[in-house]
Amino acid sequence: MHTFSEAEALELDRADPLPSRRDEFWIPPHPGRGRAQAAYLAGNSLGLQPRTVAGDLQAELEDWSRLGVGGHMKAHRPWVSFHEMLREPTARLVGALPRETIAMNSLTVNLHLLMASFYRPTPQRHAIVIEDQAFPSDSYAVRSQAQWHGYDPDQAVIRLSPRPGEDCLRTEDVVGFFQKHGDRVALALLGAVNYYNGEYLDIPQITHAARAAGAVAAWDLAHAVGNVELKLHDWGVDWAAWCTYKYLNSGPGAVAGAFIHDRHLGDQGLDRLSGWFSTDPGTRFQMRPTLDFVPNADAWQVSNPPILAMAPVLSSLRLFDEVGMPALRAKSERLTAYLSAALGHFLDPADASIITPADPASRGSQLSVRLHRTPAEAAADRMRSIDGVISDDRKPDVIRLAAAPLYVTFHDCWRAAMAIAAVAADPNAAA
């Protein structure tokens, strides 16, 4: 049984089988508390900066100053092939073959590039399925794709909602939808871990149901990569895309990633939007007017690697390779379970409730708390300024807490539970 004392939280940190890597990150300060550190539980919005990033960036800047254009071929990490260094660690992270992954662009750009290939609507089958609580950017992207192809997005985009009175989707309802209505669906594009409520959808089961119905099964992994264990190749996912600035800690605007299943890589008849880096690197500098096909994910890469936005990704992936996702996922489950229990202990049900699934297998490292009497934005501001707890709010009434296991501690979770309970109980404290 937990005592939910500060001493217990500190002891849990000392005894945990996976030591924290907190000292390898820059932790924001507690406002007004000198050198004290904040409890940072907003890694599902923007991960913290690894301390190695500055050195990795400085190395590229020095090569640029020393070599100029020569850095493309002669930098210590030649820029022309820089993205290749990210391929294998990315593949290990998402459970893919190296040739199935590519680091490129931003998340929504990658969604559009992949939909250009895999959203091939017909009058009989042109629906796109997303979750009703999808991140707005995904909603904008799929609506614009439907409209681009001449379909009314209000009709073509199907939004799956939880049952009345519930906050999360049920796997059996999603599977049942594809079994009943799948013949209308051209593309399923769901968020693997929902940004709003933290629910982790059953990727293999839903993928199987969508593909059995004849639809393309795609996933937005923005809140899943670096958060949960993934086996995209074995699960048969058609394609996926993700950003790297949340749980992967690669910095604002860092290069995103994409996965295309091996069964599609040799299909030269598949439509693609191509560019300079879509062609065979062996003939790239022969400057041919026509593209030389490559049977890997590079076929979807349009532009040359943005080195200063890729170097932080390299820094981050080293950490994930050193620790490994199984160990990180296990620790995140321990942290999130403790945070859930602490919230249950400190919160009055009249003041707030957790809307994230209680089953550890059905959630990522995030717990979303709905405040019943206090506006979320005011609560988050008070938690940060007074308690030194940095969270993320979603208007009007949800606070999101992410126990990112590389740097969040049990003590951070204890601080967060105490802070949110105090502000939930006293709406005037957040004014």
Side-chain angles (χ1 to χ4, degrees):
M1 294 289 292
H2 288 297
T3 63
F4 299 108
S5 67
E6 182 174 18
E8 180 196 44
L10 292 170
E11 178 56 31
L12 288 171
D13 283 320
R14 282 191 290 269
D16 195 81
L18 182 64
S20 174
R21 307 293 287 257
R22 185 181 182 89
D23 291 344
E24 298 176 48
F25 290 84
W26 292 104
I27 310 296
H30 184 313
R33 292 286 184 89
R35 296 184 179 181
Q37 293 180 334
Y40 190 84
L41 284 91
N44 55 343
S45 186
L46 180 68
L48 292 180
Q49 181 187 146
R51 290 177 179 263
T52 56
V53 163
D56 281 323
L57 280 171
Q58 186 59 39
E60 305 309 328
L61 292 172
E62 289 175 0
D63 277 348
W64 181 16
S65 67
R66 180 174 58 90
L67 298 169
V69 70
H72 284 290
M73 301 298 183
K74 297 180 180 179
H76 70 297
R77 296 182 292 220
W79 302 334
V80 72
S81 58
F82 195 98
H83 62 287
E84 292 286 353
M85 292 187 292
L86 307 182
R87 192 185 305 281
E88 292 198 6
T90 295
R92 288 190 286 272
L93 197 61
V94 300
L97 305 175
R99 62 178 174 270
E100 295 175 318
T101 66
I102 182 69
M104 62 181 189
N105 308 312
S106 63
L107 168 56
T108 308
V109 170
N110 288 342
L111 291 177
H112 278 299
L113 288 172
L114 291 163
M115 282 191 282
S117 295
F118 292 100
Y119 177 51
R120 314 307 299 169
T122 68
Q124 295 74 33
R125 185 189 286 272
H126 59 264
I128 304 174
V129 172
I130 62 173
E131 70 272 33
D132 192 42
Q133 291 179 329
F135 193 77
S137 182
D138 286 21
S139 182
Y140 306 155
V142 297
R143 287 178 61 85
S144 67
Q145 283 282 335
Q147 190 168 12
W148 182 264
H149 286 276
Y151 295 98
D152 180 353
D154 290 334
Q155 301 298 319
V157 177
I158 299 173
R159 308 179 71 90
L160 301 182
S161 299
R163 295 181 184 185
E166 297 184 359
D167 293 296
C168 300
L169 291 170
R170 296 192 186 193
T171 296
E172 62 265 31
D173 291 346
V174 179
V175 169
F177 172 85
F178 286 113
Q179 290 172 342
K180 187 173 181 180
H181 304 291
D183 58 347
R184 302 166 47 201
V185 179
L187 172 68
L189 176 59
L190 299 169
V193 174
N194 184 266
Y195 89 99
Y196 183 77
N197 58 35
E199 180 184 19
Y200 177 26
L201 293 176
D202 189 326
I203 298 176
Q205 193 171 162
I206 294 171
T207 294
H208 176 77
R211 297 194 67 240
V216 171
W219 292 88
D220 179 338
L221 305 178
H223 288 263
V225 69
N227 181 2
V228 296
E229 289 187 76
L230 299 167
K231 299 179 182 179
L232 300 183
H233 177 85
D234 291 347
W235 292 340
V237 170
D238 284 302
W239 60 267
W242 57 89
C243 55
T244 63
Y245 53 80
K246 300 181 188 298
Y247 291 95
L248 292 190
N249 312 302
S250 296
V255 166
F259 161 90
I260 303 96
H261 197 280
D262 190 53
R263 61 177 169 270
H264 302 299
L265 298 180
D267 186 355
Q268 296 192 45
L270 196 61
D271 289 332
R272 298 174 183 83
L273 296 175
S274 301
W276 174 230
F277 267 64
S278 308
T279 197
D280 186 338
T283 60
R284 180 174 294 132
F285 289 96
Q286 294 179 15
M287 315 305 271
R288 298 176 181 176
T290 56
L291 180 143
D292 290 326
F293 176 75
V294 288
N296 57 42
D298 288 19
W300 280 266
Q301 188 179 200
V302 174
S303 301
N304 59 309
I307 304 305
L308 300 183
M310 272 190 172
V313 183
L314 190 63
S315 304
S316 174
L317 289 177
R318 286 197 208 101
L319 277 170
F320 281 88
D321 259 352
E322 288 171 10
V323 182
M325 273 310 304
L328 285 170
R329 174 60 172 162
K331 180 157 189 176
S332 81
E333 289 182 347
R334 294 191 294 274
L335 287 166
T336 308
Y338 174 78
L339 176 59
S340 178
L343 289 168
H345 176 77
F346 289 117
L347 282 173
D348 186 326
D351 298 332
S353 56
I354 299 172
I355 63 172
T356 306
D359 178 5
S362 298
R363 66 189 183 201
S365 302
Q366 170 184 326
L367 293 180
S368 294
V369 180
R370 175 167 288 135
L371 303 177
H372 299 161
R373 301 192 298 146
T374 309
E377 184 176 18
D381 287 346
R382 190 270 187 188
M383 289 167 63
R384 178 171 186 151
S385 61
I386 304 301
D387 303 301
V389 174
I390 300 176
S391 63
D392 177 83
D393 64 276
R394 284 293 178 265
K395 296 180 179 66
D397 56 4
V398 169
I399 295 287
R400 304 187 307 163
L401 303 169
L406 279 170
Y407 51 77
V408 170
T409 64
F410 288 95
H411 187 249
D412 289 336
C413 293
W414 176 82
R415 290 172 63 185
M418 291 279 287
I420 199 168
V423 76
D426 183 5
N428 294 325

